[in-house]
Amino acid sequence: MKFFIDTANLEDIKDAQDMGILDGVTTNPSLMAKEGITGIDNIMKHYVAICNIVDGDVSAEVISTDFEGMVKEGEALAELHEQIVVKLPMIKDGIKACKYFSDRGIKTNVTLVFSPGQALLAAKAGATYVSPFIGRLDDISTDGLNLVAEIRHIYDNYAFETQILAASVRHTMHVIDCAKLGADVMTGPLSSITGLLRHPLTDSGLEKFLADYKKGN
Ligand code: E4P
């Protein structure tokens, strides 16, 4: 399973990249705003800065909601860097734009996916990635992981090549469950990745090994 980090924070991206386990980055307008990145020029520069840190796909989201606007924005984003993936909302014009970009060999990520039917449409439109938001479903008492399982089942039935990018991952158990279900990618905050490092038996075991080494040296 590929590990993407879901942030526009350059320090967190560097941290995950330095561990050697990072495969890409996802961003969205809210994550950009959280870092205080505003104005189209700054946002574009920030995407390039992210691409220069990570070796892998970087999702950059369009703001337009009409086909022509999405095409114009998506083309400008794709021209910024070869690692850019055009992130499109799961609406009718988003699907149309997804088909437009996939026909031209430009990578896409269909975002805000909350049902198997939406994921089926994204795959039919040739999306590179489909992003089911598991945390946001859990937030409204609906099993987000079950959506990942349903999409996996449907995509496997027809050998769709669209990669399931489990998004809105909030914690380590989401990461582990996504891996069990066969998600192709997960994207979450740095804490959902570094949390995987932790085990008290690792810490106490290491402490004992080092103490025993000191006794003999
Ligand atoms: C996905 O690409 C989104 O940026 C993201 O995963 C949303 O996560 P949230 O529900 O934690 O905001």
Side-chain angles (χ1 to χ4, degrees):
M1 183 169 72
K2 289 185 207 165
F3 275 25
F4 286 4
I5 189 167
D6 194 32
T7 185
N9 182 288
L10 299 183
E11 291 311 311
D12 282 1
I13 296 168
K14 276 183 202 146
D15 203 341
Q17 175 69 20
D18 285 349
M19 277 176 76
I21 47 77
L22 192 64
D23 300 297
V25 177
T26 51
T27 62
N28 63 40
S30 306
L31 292 170
M32 281 286 180
K34 192 176 164 196
E35 298 307 317
I37 314 296
T38 54
I40 193 64
D41 290 345
N42 290 332
I43 289 173
M44 294 295 229
K45 277 185 206 150
H46 204 72
Y47 284 135
V48 175
I50 293 173
C51 290
N52 288 335
I53 297 171
V54 67
D55 302 319
D57 286 348
V58 174
S59 287
E61 189 160 342
V62 301
I63 307 302
S64 304
T65 53
D66 62 298
F67 173 73
E68 287 76 18
M70 286 187 210
V71 165
K72 196 174 163 204
E73 262 190 74
E75 283 178 339
L77 288 168
E79 272 185 22
L80 279 180
H81 201 283
E82 59 187 8
Q83 286 165 239
I84 292 285
V85 173
V86 180
K87 197 172 179 190
L88 301 157
M90 177 60 232
I91 55 177
K92 192 174 177 186
D93 279 27
I95 287 300
K96 199 172 156 188
C98 178
K99 176 76 175 124
Y100 173 92
F101 286 119
S102 62
D103 282 349
R104 286 158 182 78
I106 293 173
K107 287 186 181 179
T108 51
N109 174 359
V110 175
T111 191
L112 291 167
V113 166
F114 294 96
S115 78
Q118 291 178 327
L120 188 52
L121 280 173
K124 292 284 291 174
T128 313
Y129 299 104
V130 66
S131 289
F133 276 36
I134 63 177
R136 291 193 193 185
L137 281 169
D138 288 357
D139 287 345
I140 57 157
S141 313
T142 302
D143 186 354
L145 289 163
N146 186 51
L147 175 59
V148 173
E150 286 182 302
I151 300 172
R152 179 77 284 155
H153 185 94
I154 291 168
Y155 282 12
D156 288 351
N157 277 351
Y158 300 99
F160 281 123
E161 288 178 8
T162 300
Q163 295 179 54
I164 303 172
L165 196 175
S168 188
V169 157
R170 301 276 172 77
H171 48 68
T172 54
M173 280 313 295
H174 274 159
V175 178
I176 293 160
D177 286 331
C178 283
K180 284 184 187 169
L181 291 170
D184 299 289
V185 191
M186 79 81 200
T187 191
L190 183 62
S191 59
S192 69
I193 298 173
T194 53
L196 298 170
L197 291 164
R198 292 199 207 112
H199 199 288
L201 291 179
T202 304
D203 297 339
S204 59
L206 182 60
E207 204 178 317
K208 175 91 169 65
F209 285 155
L210 296 180
D212 288 345
Y213 173 81
K214 272 185 198 157
K215 279 183 209 159
N217 290 279

